[in-house]
Amino acid sequence: MSAEQQTASREEIYAHVRSTLIELFEIDAADIHPEALLYEDLDIDSIDAVDLVVELKKFTGRRIEANDFKNVRSLDDVVTAVEQLMQRQA
């Protein structure tokens, strides 16, 4: 894992998640904002959610437990969960 990922800021995490949503799931950039709900607004299904977690594991270099994301509903929730994961395991 790079030093940049170890110290990723909230803005960097958001930018990575946003670019992942655009690239992997072809979501329109205009639809992506912190309050966007993953399932309702961005049409992310359970398979997409697994793919997103796999990508976040690559980004963080850390194991991600299902429990870490059980309360995730919005894009902002994803960023917060990743941020907490990185702080907890730093």
Side-chain angles (χ1 to χ4, degrees):
M1 174 175 20
S2 72
E4 177 181 303
Q5 289 170 321
Q6 287 180 329
T7 59
S9 70
R10 187 169 183 83
E11 292 75 24
E12 290 167 328
I13 296 167
Y14 175 80
H16 181 77
V17 173
R18 185 175 191 276
S19 68
T20 299
L21 292 172
I22 293 167
E23 292 171 23
L24 283 185
F25 309 118
E26 299 177 358
I27 296 174
D28 188 332
D31 294 334
I32 302 172
H33 53 85
E35 297 78 27
L37 298 174
L38 298 177
Y39 299 103
E40 295 86 343
D41 298 335
L42 302 179
D43 204 26
I44 298 289
D45 63 24
S46 58
I47 301 299
D48 294 337
V50 170
D51 291 342
L52 179 59
V53 168
V54 168
E55 178 55 36
L56 292 173
K57 181 180 176 187
K58 291 179 196 173
F59 175 71
T60 63
R62 295 180 170 97
R63 182 183 173 119
I64 297 175
E65 303 292 339
N67 204 33
D68 294 330
F69 284 84
K70 71 177 184 178
N71 294 319
V72 167
R73 300 290 178 263
S74 70
L75 183 54
D76 193 55
D77 292 342
V78 172
V79 173
T80 298
V82 171
E83 188 176 45
Q84 290 173 348
L85 177 71
M86 292 180 86
Q87 289 171 354
R88 185 172 67 236
Q89 296 183 356

Coordinates of all heavy atoms in Angstrom, one line a residue:
M1 N 0.9 -1.2 0.0 CA 0.0 0.0 0.0 C 0.9 1.2 0.0 O 1.9 1.3 0.7 CB -0.9 0.0 1.2 CG -1.7 1.3 1.3 SD -2.9 1.4 2.7 CE -2.4 0.2 3.8
S2 N 0.5 2.2 -0.8 CA 1.3 3.4 -0.8 C 1.0 4.3 0.4 O 0.0 4.2 1.0 CB 0.9 4.2 -2.1 OG -0.3 4.8 -2.0
A3 N 2.0 5.2 0.6 CA 1.8 6.2 1.7 C 0.6 7.1 1.5 O 0.0 7.5 2.4 CB 3.1 7.0 1.8
E4 N 0.3 7.4 0.2 CA -0.8 8.2 -0.1 C -2.1 7.5 0.4 O -3.0 8.2 0.9 CB -0.9 8.4 -1.6 CG -2.1 9.2 -2.1 CD -2.1 9.4 -3.6 OE1 -1.1 9.9 -4.1 OE2 -3.1 9.0 -4.2
Q5 N -2.2 6.2 0.2 CA -3.4 5.5 0.6 C -3.5 5.5 2.1 O -4.6 5.5 2.7 CB -3.5 4.1 0.0 CG -3.8 4.2 -1.5 CD -3.6 2.8 -2.1 OE1 -2.6 2.1 -1.8 NE2 -4.4 2.5 -3.1
Q6 N -2.4 5.3 2.8 CA -2.4 5.3 4.3 C -3.0 6.6 4.9 O -3.5 6.6 5.9 CB -1.0 5.0 4.8 CG -0.6 3.6 4.6 CD 0.8 3.3 5.1 OE1 1.6 4.2 5.2 NE2 1.0 2.1 5.6
T7 N -2.7 7.7 4.2 CA -3.1 9.0 4.7 C -4.2 9.6 3.8 O -4.3 10.8 3.8 CB -1.9 9.9 4.8 OG1 -1.3 10.1 3.5 CG2 -0.8 9.4 5.7
A8 N -5.0 8.8 3.1 CA -6.0 9.4 2.2 C -7.0 10.3 3.0 O -7.5 9.8 4.1 CB -6.7 8.3 1.5
S9 N -7.2 11.4 2.5 CA -8.1 12.3 3.2 C -9.6 12.0 2.8 O -9.8 11.2 1.8 CB -7.9 13.8 2.7 OG -8.2 13.9 1.4
R10 N -10.5 12.5 3.5 CA -11.9 12.3 3.2 C -12.2 12.7 1.7 O -12.9 11.9 1.0 CB -12.8 13.1 4.1 CG -14.2 12.8 4.0 CD -15.0 13.4 5.1 NE -16.4 13.0 5.0 CZ -17.0 11.9 5.4 NH1 -16.2 11.0 6.0 NH2 -18.2 11.6 5.2
E11 N -11.6 13.7 1.2 CA -11.8 14.2 -0.1 C -11.2 13.2 -1.1 O -11.8 12.9 -2.2 CB -11.2 15.6 -0.4 CG -11.9 16.7 0.4 CD -11.6 16.7 1.9 OE1 -10.5 16.2 2.3 OE2 -12.4 17.2 2.7
E12 N -10.0 12.6 -0.8 CA -9.4 11.6 -1.7 C -10.2 10.4 -1.7 O -10.4 9.7 -2.8 CB -8.0 11.4 -1.2 CG -7.1 12.5 -1.5 CD -5.7 12.4 -0.7 OE1 -5.7 11.8 0.4 OE2 -4.7 12.9 -1.3
I13 N -10.8 10.0 -0.6 CA -11.6 8.8 -0.6 C -12.9 9.0 -1.4 O -13.2 8.2 -2.2 CB -12.0 8.4 0.9 CG1 -10.8 8.0 1.7 CG2 -13.0 7.3 0.9 CD1 -11.0 7.9 3.2
Y14 N -13.5 10.2 -1.2 CA -14.7 10.5 -2.0 C -14.4 10.5 -3.5 O -15.1 9.9 -4.3 CB -15.2 11.9 -1.6 CG -16.4 12.3 -2.4 CD1 -17.7 11.8 -2.2 CD2 -16.2 13.2 -3.5 CE1 -18.8 12.2 -3.0 CE2 -17.3 13.6 -4.3 CZ -18.5 13.1 -4.0 OH -19.6 13.5 -4.8
A15 N -13.3 11.1 -3.9 CA -12.9 11.1 -5.3 C -12.7 9.7 -5.9 O -13.1 9.4 -7.0 CB -11.6 12.0 -5.5
H16 N -12.1 8.9 -5.1 CA -11.8 7.5 -5.5 C -13.2 6.7 -5.7 O -13.4 6.1 -6.7 CB -10.9 6.7 -4.6 CG -10.6 5.3 -5.0 ND1 -9.8 5.0 -6.1 CD2 -11.2 4.2 -4.7 CE1 -9.8 3.7 -6.3 NE2 -10.6 3.2 -5.4
V17 N -14.0 6.8 -4.7 CA -15.3 6.2 -4.8 C -16.1 6.7 -6.0 O -16.7 5.9 -6.7 CB -16.1 6.3 -3.5 CG1 -17.5 5.8 -3.6 CG2 -15.4 5.6 -2.3
R18 N -16.1 8.0 -6.1 CA -16.8 8.6 -7.3 C -16.3 8.1 -8.6 O -17.1 7.7 -9.5 CB -16.6 10.2 -7.2 CG -17.4 10.9 -8.2 CD -17.3 12.4 -7.9 NE -18.2 13.2 -8.7 CZ -18.0 13.6 -10.0 NH1 -16.9 13.2 -10.6 NH2 -18.9 14.2 -10.6
S19 N -15.0 8.1 -8.8 CA -14.4 7.6 -10.0 C -14.7 6.1 -10.2 O -15.0 5.7 -11.4 CB -12.9 7.9 -10.1 OG -12.2 7.1 -9.2
T20 N -14.7 5.4 -9.2 CA -15.1 4.0 -9.3 C -16.5 3.8 -9.7 O -16.8 2.9 -10.6 CB -14.9 3.3 -7.9 OG1 -13.5 3.4 -7.5 CG2 -15.3 1.8 -8.0
L21 N -17.4 4.6 -9.2 CA -18.8 4.5 -9.6 C -19.0 4.8 -11.1 O -19.8 4.2 -11.8 CB -19.7 5.4 -8.7 CG -19.8 5.0 -7.2 CD1 -20.5 6.1 -6.5 CD2 -20.6 3.7 -7.1
I22 N -18.3 5.8 -11.5 CA -18.3 6.2 -12.9 C -17.8 5.1 -13.8 O -18.4 4.8 -14.8 CB -17.6 7.6 -13.1 CG1 -18.4 8.7 -12.4 CG2 -17.5 7.9 -14.6 CD1 -17.6 10.0 -12.3
E23 N -16.6 4.6 -13.5 CA -15.9 3.7 -14.3 C -16.5 2.3 -14.3 O -16.7 1.7 -15.3 CB -14.4 3.6 -13.9 CG -13.6 4.9 -14.2 CD -12.2 4.9 -13.6 OE1 -11.7 3.8 -13.4 OE2 -11.7 6.0 -13.4
L24 N -16.7 1.7 -13.1 CA -17.2 0.4 -13.0 C -18.7 0.2 -13.3 O -19.1 -0.8 -13.9 CB -17.0 -0.2 -11.6 CG -15.6 -0.6 -11.2 CD1 -15.6 -1.2 -9.8 CD2 -15.0 -1.6 -12.2
F25 N -19.5 1.2 -12.9 CA -20.9 1.0 -13.0 C -21.6 2.0 -14.0 O -22.8 2.0 -14.1 CB -21.6 1.2 -11.6 CG -20.9 0.4 -10.6 CD1 -20.3 0.9 -9.5 CD2 -20.9 -1.0 -10.7 CE1 -19.7 0.1 -8.5 CE2 -20.3 -1.8 -9.7 CZ -19.7 -1.2 -8.7
E26 N -20.7 2.8 -14.7 CA -21.2 3.7 -15.7 C -22.3 4.6 -15.2 O -23.3 4.9 -15.9 CB -21.6 3.0 -17.0 CG -20.5 2.2 -17.6 CD -20.9 1.3 -18.8 OE1 -22.1 1.3 -19.1 OE2 -20.0 0.7 -19.4
I27 N -22.1 5.1 -14.0 CA -23.1 6.0 -13.4 C -22.8 7.5 -13.9 O -21.6 7.8 -13.9 CB -23.1 5.9 -11.9 CG1 -23.6 4.5 -11.5 CG2 -24.0 7.0 -11.2 CD1 -23.5 4.2 -10.0
D28 N -23.7 8.2 -14.2 CA -23.6 9.6 -14.7 C -23.0 10.4 -13.6 O -23.5 10.4 -12.4 CB -24.9 10.2 -15.1 CG -24.8 11.5 -15.8 OD1 -23.8 12.3 -15.5 OD2 -25.6 11.8 -16.6
A29 N -21.9 11.1 -13.8 CA -21.2 11.9 -12.8 C -22.1 12.9 -12.2 O -22.0 13.2 -11.0 CB -20.0 12.6 -13.4
A30 N -23.1 13.4 -12.9 CA -24.1 14.4 -12.4 C -25.0 13.8 -11.3 O -25.5 14.5 -10.4 CB -24.9 15.0 -13.5
D31 N -25.1 12.5 -11.3 CA -25.9 11.8 -10.3 C -25.2 11.5 -9.0 O -25.8 11.1 -8.0 CB -26.5 10.5 -10.8 CG -27.4 10.7 -12.0 OD1 -28.1 11.8 -12.0 OD2 -27.6 9.8 -12.8
I32 N -23.9 11.7 -9.0 CA -23.1 11.3 -7.9 C -22.8 12.5 -7.0 O -22.2 13.5 -7.4 CB -21.7 10.7 -8.3 CG1 -22.0 9.4 -9.2 CG2 -20.9 10.3 -7.1 CD1 -20.8 8.8 -9.9
H33 N -23.3 12.4 -5.8 CA -23.1 13.5 -4.8 C -23.1 12.8 -3.4 O -23.6 11.7 -3.3 CB -24.1 14.6 -4.9 CG -25.5 14.1 -4.9 ND1 -26.2 13.9 -3.7 CD2 -26.3 13.8 -5.9 CE1 -27.4 13.5 -4.0 NE2 -27.5 13.4 -5.3
P34 N -22.6 13.5 -2.4 CA -22.5 12.8 -1.0 C -23.8 12.2 -0.5 O -23.8 11.2 0.1 CB -21.9 13.9 -0.1 CG -21.2 14.8 -1.0 CD -21.9 14.8 -2.4
E35 N -24.9 12.9 -0.8 CA -26.2 12.5 -0.2 C -26.9 11.4 -1.1 O -27.9 10.9 -0.7 CB -27.2 13.6 -0.1 CG -26.7 14.7 0.9 CD -25.6 15.6 0.3 OE1 -25.6 15.8 -1.0 OE2 -24.8 16.1 1.0
A36 N -26.3 11.0 -2.2 CA -26.9 10.1 -3.1 C -27.0 8.7 -2.4 O -26.0 8.2 -1.9 CB -26.1 9.9 -4.4
L37 N -28.2 8.1 -2.5 CA -28.4 6.8 -1.9 C -28.0 5.8 -2.9 O -28.4 5.8 -4.1 CB -29.9 6.6 -1.5 CG -30.4 7.6 -0.5 CD1 -31.9 7.5 -0.3 CD2 -29.7 7.5 0.8
L38 N -27.2 4.8 -2.4 CA -26.6 3.8 -3.3 C -27.7 3.0 -4.1 O -27.6 2.9 -5.3 CB -25.7 2.9 -2.5 CG -24.5 3.5 -1.9 CD1 -23.8 2.4 -1.1 CD2 -23.6 4.1 -2.9
Y39 N -28.7 2.5 -3.4 CA -29.6 1.6 -4.0 C -30.7 2.4 -4.8 O -31.1 2.1 -5.9 CB -30.3 0.6 -3.0 CG -29.2 -0.2 -2.4 CD1 -28.8 0.0 -1.1 CD2 -28.7 -1.3 -3.1 CE1 -27.8 -0.8 -0.5 CE2 -27.7 -2.1 -2.5 CZ -27.3 -1.9 -1.2 OH -26.3 -2.6 -0.7
E40 N -31.2 3.4 -4.1 CA -32.4 4.2 -4.7 C -31.9 5.1 -5.8 O -32.5 5.2 -6.8 CB -33.1 4.9 -3.6 CG -33.8 4.0 -2.5 CD -32.9 3.6 -1.4 OE1 -31.6 3.7 -1.5 OE2 -33.4 3.2 -0.4
D41 N -30.9 5.9 -5.5 CA -30.5 7.0 -6.5 C -29.5 6.5 -7.5 O -29.6 6.9 -8.7 CB -29.9 8.2 -5.7 CG -30.9 8.8 -4.7 OD1 -32.1 8.7 -4.9 OD2 -30.4 9.4 -3.8
L42 N -28.6 5.6 -7.1 CA -27.5 5.2 -8.0 C -27.8 3.8 -8.6 O -27.0 3.4 -9.4 CB -26.2 5.3 -7.3 CG -25.8 6.6 -6.7 CD1 -24.4 6.6 -6.0 CD2 -25.8 7.7 -7.8
D43 N -28.9 3.2 -8.2 CA -29.2 1.9 -8.8 C -28.1 0.9 -8.6 O -27.9 0.0 -9.5 CB -29.7 2.0 -10.2 CG -30.6 0.9 -10.7 OD1 -31.3 0.4 -9.8 OD2 -30.6 0.6 -11.9
I44 N -27.5 0.9 -7.5 CA -26.5 -0.1 -7.1 C -27.2 -1.3 -6.5 O -28.0 -1.2 -5.6 CB -25.5 0.5 -6.1 CG1 -24.7 1.7 -6.6 CG2 -24.5 -0.6 -5.6 CD1 -23.7 1.4 -7.7
D45 N -27.0 -2.5 -7.1 CA -27.6 -3.7 -6.6 C -26.6 -4.4 -5.7 O -25.4 -4.0 -5.5 CB -28.2 -4.6 -7.7 CG -27.1 -5.1 -8.6 OD1 -25.9 -5.2 -8.2 OD2 -27.5 -5.5 -9.8
S46 N -27.0 -5.6 -5.1 CA -26.1 -6.3 -4.2 C -24.8 -6.8 -4.8 O -23.7 -6.8 -4.2 CB -26.8 -7.4 -3.5 OG -27.3 -8.3 -4.5
I47 N -24.9 -7.2 -6.1 CA -23.7 -7.6 -6.8 C -22.7 -6.4 -7.0 O -21.5 -6.5 -6.8 CB -24.0 -8.3 -8.2 CG1 -25.0 -9.5 -8.0 CG2 -22.8 -8.6 -9.0 CD1 -24.4 -10.6 -7.2
D48 N -23.3 -5.3 -7.4 CA -22.5 -4.1 -7.6 C -21.8 -3.7 -6.3 O -20.7 -3.3 -6.2 CB -23.3 -2.9 -8.1 CG -23.9 -3.1 -9.5 OD1 -23.3 -3.9 -10.2 OD2 -24.9 -2.4 -9.8
A49 N -22.6 -3.8 -5.2 CA -22.0 -3.5 -3.8 C -20.8 -4.4 -3.5 O -19.8 -3.9 -3.0 CB -23.1 -3.6 -2.8
V50 N -20.9 -5.6 -3.9 CA -19.7 -6.5 -3.6 C -18.6 -6.1 -4.5 O -17.4 -6.0 -4.0 CB -20.1 -8.0 -4.0 CG1 -18.9 -8.9 -4.0 CG2 -21.1 -8.5 -3.0
D51 N -18.8 -5.7 -5.7 CA -17.7 -5.2 -6.6 C -17.1 -3.9 -6.0 O -15.9 -3.7 -6.1 CB -18.3 -5.0 -8.0 CG -18.6 -6.3 -8.8 OD1 -18.2 -7.3 -8.3 OD2 -19.4 -6.2 -9.7
L52 N -18.0 -3.1 -5.5 CA -17.5 -1.8 -4.9 C -16.6 -2.1 -3.7 O -15.5 -1.5 -3.5 CB -18.6 -0.9 -4.5 CG -18.3 0.4 -3.8 CD1 -17.4 1.3 -4.8 CD2 -19.5 1.2 -3.5
V53 N -17.0 -3.1 -2.9 CA -16.2 -3.4 -1.7 C -14.9 -4.0 -2.1 O -13.8 -3.7 -1.5 CB -17.0 -4.4 -0.7 CG1 -16.1 -5.0 0.3 CG2 -18.1 -3.7 -0.1
V54 N -14.8 -4.8 -3.2 CA -13.6 -5.4 -3.7 C -12.7 -4.3 -4.1 O -11.5 -4.3 -3.8 CB -13.9 -6.4 -4.8 CG1 -12.6 -6.8 -5.6 CG2 -14.6 -7.6 -4.3
E55 N -13.2 -3.3 -4.8 CA -12.4 -2.2 -5.3 C -11.9 -1.4 -4.1 O -10.7 -0.9 -4.1 CB -13.2 -1.3 -6.2 CG -12.5 0.0 -6.7 CD -11.2 -0.3 -7.4 OE1 -11.0 -1.3 -8.1 OE2 -10.2 0.5 -7.2
L56 N -12.7 -1.2 -3.1 CA -12.3 -0.4 -1.9 C -11.2 -1.2 -1.1 O -10.3 -0.6 -0.5 CB -13.5 -0.1 -1.0 CG -14.5 0.9 -1.6 CD1 -15.7 1.0 -0.7 CD2 -13.8 2.2 -1.8
K57 N -11.3 -2.5 -1.1 CA -10.2 -3.3 -0.5 C -8.9 -3.1 -1.2 O -7.9 -2.9 -0.6 CB -10.6 -4.8 -0.6 CG -9.6 -5.7 0.1 CD -10.0 -7.2 0.0 CE -8.9 -8.0 0.6 NZ -9.2 -9.5 0.4
K58 N -8.9 -3.0 -2.5 CA -7.7 -2.7 -3.3 C -7.2 -1.3 -2.9 O -6.0 -1.1 -2.8 CB -8.0 -2.8 -4.8 CG -8.2 -4.2 -5.3 CD -8.5 -4.1 -6.8 CE -9.2 -5.3 -7.4 NZ -9.6 -5.2 -8.7
F59 N -8.1 -0.4 -2.8 CA -7.7 1.0 -2.5 C -7.1 1.1 -1.2 O -6.1 1.8 -1.0 CB -8.9 1.9 -2.7 CG -8.7 3.3 -2.3 CD1 -7.9 4.2 -3.1 CD2 -9.3 3.9 -1.1 CE1 -7.7 5.5 -2.7 CE2 -9.1 5.2 -0.8 CZ -8.3 6.0 -1.6
T60 N -7.7 0.5 -0.2 CA -7.2 0.6 1.2 C -6.1 -0.4 1.6 O -5.3 -0.1 2.5 CB -8.4 0.4 2.2 OG1 -8.8 -1.0 2.1 CG2 -9.5 1.4 2.0
G61 N -6.1 -1.5 0.8 CA -5.1 -2.5 1.2 C -5.5 -3.2 2.4 O -4.6 -3.9 3.1
R62 N -6.7 -3.1 2.8 CA -7.2 -3.7 4.1 C -8.4 -4.6 3.9 O -9.1 -4.4 3.0 CB -7.6 -2.6 5.1 CG -6.4 -1.8 5.5 CD -6.8 -0.7 6.4 NE -5.6 -0.1 7.0 CZ -5.1 1.1 6.5 NH1 -5.6 1.7 5.5 NH2 -4.0 1.6 7.0
R63 N -8.5 -5.6 4.7 CA -9.6 -6.5 4.7 C -10.9 -5.7 5.1 O -10.8 -5.0 6.1 CB -9.4 -7.7 5.7 CG -10.5 -8.7 5.7 CD -10.2 -9.7 6.7 NE -11.4 -10.6 6.8 CZ -11.4 -11.9 6.5 NH1 -10.3 -12.5 6.1 NH2 -12.5 -12.6 6.6
I64 N -11.9 -5.9 4.4 CA -13.2 -5.2 4.7 C -14.2 -6.2 5.1 O -14.5 -7.2 4.4 CB -13.7 -4.4 3.5 CG1 -12.6 -3.3 3.2 CG2 -15.0 -3.7 3.8 CD1 -12.9 -2.5 1.9
E65 N -14.7 -6.1 6.3 CA -15.8 -7.0 6.8 C -17.1 -6.5 6.4 O -17.4 -5.3 6.3 CB -15.7 -7.0 8.3 CG -14.3 -7.5 8.9 CD -14.0 -8.9 8.6 OE1 -14.9 -9.7 8.3 OE2 -12.8 -9.2 8.6
A66 N -18.1 -7.4 6.2 CA -19.4 -7.0 5.9 C -20.0 -6.1 6.9 O -20.7 -5.2 6.6 CB -20.3 -8.3 5.7
N67 N -19.6 -6.3 8.2 CA -20.1 -5.5 9.3 C -19.7 -4.0 9.1 O -20.4 -3.2 9.6 CB -19.6 -6.1 10.6 CG -20.4 -5.7 11.8 OD1 -21.6 -5.6 11.6 ND2 -19.8 -5.6 12.9
D68 N -18.6 -3.8 8.5 CA -18.1 -2.4 8.3 C -19.1 -1.6 7.4 O -19.1 -0.4 7.5 CB -16.7 -2.4 7.6 CG -15.6 -3.0 8.5 OD1 -15.7 -2.9 9.7 OD2 -14.7 -3.5 7.9
F69 N -19.8 -2.3 6.6 CA -20.7 -1.6 5.6 C -22.2 -1.9 5.8 O -23.0 -1.6 5.0 CB -20.3 -2.0 4.2 CG -19.0 -1.3 3.7 CD1 -17.8 -1.7 4.1 CD2 -19.1 -0.1 3.0 CE1 -16.6 -1.1 3.7 CE2 -18.0 0.6 2.7 CZ -16.7 0.1 3.0
K70 N -22.5 -2.5 7.0 CA -23.9 -2.9 7.2 C -24.9 -1.7 7.2 O -26.0 -1.9 6.9 CB -24.1 -3.8 8.4 CG -23.9 -3.1 9.7 CD -24.2 -4.1 10.8 CE -24.1 -3.3 12.2 NZ -24.3 -4.1 13.3
N71 N -24.4 -0.6 7.7 CA -25.3 0.6 7.8 C -25.1 1.6 6.7 O -25.6 2.7 6.8 CB -25.1 1.3 9.2 CG -25.5 0.4 10.3 OD1 -26.6 -0.3 10.2 ND2 -24.8 0.3 11.4
V72 N -24.4 1.3 5.7 CA -24.1 2.2 4.6 C -25.3 2.3 3.7 O -25.9 1.3 3.2 CB -22.9 1.7 3.8 CG1 -22.8 2.4 2.5 CG2 -21.6 1.8 4.6
R73 N -25.8 3.5 3.5 CA -26.9 3.8 2.6 C -26.6 4.8 1.5 O -27.1 4.7 0.4 CB -28.1 4.3 3.5 CG -28.6 3.4 4.5 CD -29.3 2.2 4.0 NE -29.7 1.3 5.0 CZ -29.1 0.2 5.4 NH1 -27.9 -0.1 4.9 NH2 -29.5 -0.6 6.4
S74 N -25.8 5.8 1.9 CA -25.4 6.9 1.0 C -24.0 6.9 0.6 O -23.2 6.2 1.2 CB -25.8 8.2 1.6 OG -24.9 8.5 2.6
L75 N -23.6 7.6 -0.4 CA -22.2 7.8 -0.8 C -21.4 8.3 0.3 O -20.3 7.9 0.6 CB -22.1 8.7 -2.0 CG -20.7 8.9 -2.6 CD1 -20.1 7.5 -3.0 CD2 -20.8 9.7 -3.9
D76 N -21.9 9.3 1.1 CA -21.2 9.8 2.2 C -21.0 8.7 3.3 O -19.9 8.7 3.9 CB -22.0 11.0 2.8 CG -21.2 11.8 3.8 OD1 -20.1 12.2 3.5 OD2 -21.7 11.9 5.0
D77 N -21.9 7.8 3.5 CA -21.8 6.7 4.4 C -20.6 5.8 4.0 O -19.8 5.3 4.8 CB -23.0 5.8 4.5 CG -24.2 6.5 5.1 OD1 -24.0 7.5 5.8 OD2 -25.3 6.0 4.9
V78 N -20.4 5.6 2.7 CA -19.3 4.8 2.1 C -18.0 5.5 2.5 O -17.1 4.8 3.0 CB -19.4 4.6 0.6 CG1 -18.2 3.9 0.1 CG2 -20.7 3.8 0.2
V79 N -17.9 6.8 2.2 CA -16.7 7.5 2.5 C -16.4 7.4 4.0 O -15.2 7.2 4.4 CB -16.8 9.0 2.1 CG1 -15.6 9.8 2.5 CG2 -17.0 9.0 0.5
T80 N -17.4 7.6 4.9 CA -17.2 7.5 6.3 C -16.7 6.2 6.7 O -15.8 6.0 7.5 CB -18.5 7.9 7.1 OG1 -18.8 9.2 6.7 CG2 -18.3 7.8 8.6
A81 N -17.3 5.1 6.2 CA -16.9 3.7 6.5 C -15.4 3.5 6.1 O -14.7 2.9 6.9 CB -17.8 2.7 5.9
V82 N -15.0 3.9 4.9 CA -13.7 3.7 4.5 C -12.7 4.5 5.3 O -11.7 4.0 5.8 CB -13.5 4.1 3.0 CG1 -12.0 4.1 2.6 CG2 -14.3 3.1 2.1
E83 N -13.1 5.8 5.6 CA -12.3 6.6 6.5 C -12.0 6.0 7.9 O -10.9 5.9 8.4 CB -13.0 8.0 6.6 CG -12.2 9.0 7.3 CD -12.9 10.4 7.3 OE1 -14.1 10.4 7.6 OE2 -12.3 11.4 7.0
Q84 N -13.1 5.5 8.5 CA -13.0 4.8 9.8 C -12.1 3.5 9.7 O -11.3 3.3 10.6 CB -14.4 4.5 10.3 CG -15.1 5.7 10.7 CD -16.6 5.4 11.1 OE1 -17.1 4.3 10.9 NE2 -17.2 6.4 11.7
L85 N -12.3 2.8 8.6 CA -11.5 1.6 8.4 C -10.0 1.9 8.4 O -9.2 1.3 9.0 CB -12.0 0.9 7.1 CG -11.2 -0.4 6.8 CD1 -11.5 -1.5 7.7 CD2 -11.5 -0.8 5.3
M86 N -9.7 2.9 7.6 CA -8.3 3.3 7.4 C -7.7 3.9 8.8 O -6.6 3.6 9.1 CB -8.2 4.4 6.3 CG -8.5 3.7 5.0 SD -8.4 4.9 3.6 CE -6.6 4.8 3.3
Q87 N -8.5 4.6 9.5 CA -8.0 5.1 10.8 C -7.8 4.0 11.8 O -6.9 4.0 12.6 CB -9.0 6.1 11.4 CG -9.0 7.4 10.6 CD -10.1 8.4 11.0 OE1 -11.0 8.0 11.8 NE2 -10.1 9.6 10.4
R88 N -8.8 3.1 11.8 CA -8.8 2.0 12.8 C -7.6 1.0 12.6 O -7.0 0.5 13.5 CB -10.1 1.2 12.7 CG -10.2 0.1 13.7 CD -11.6 -0.5 13.7 NE -11.9 -1.2 12.5 CZ -12.9 -1.0 11.7 NH1 -13.8 0.0 11.9 NH2 -13.1 -1.7 10.6
Q89 N -7.2 0.8 11.3 CA -6.2 -0.1 11.0 C -4.9 0.5 10.6 O -4.0 -0.1 10.1 CB -6.7 -1.1 9.9 CG -7.8 -1.9 10.4 CD -8.3 -2.9 9.3 OE1 -7.7 -3.0 8.2 NE2 -9.2 -3.7 9.7
A90 N -4.7 1.8 10.8 CA -3.5 2.5 10.4 C -2.3 2.1 11.2 O -2.4 1.7 12.3 CB -3.7 4.0 10.5

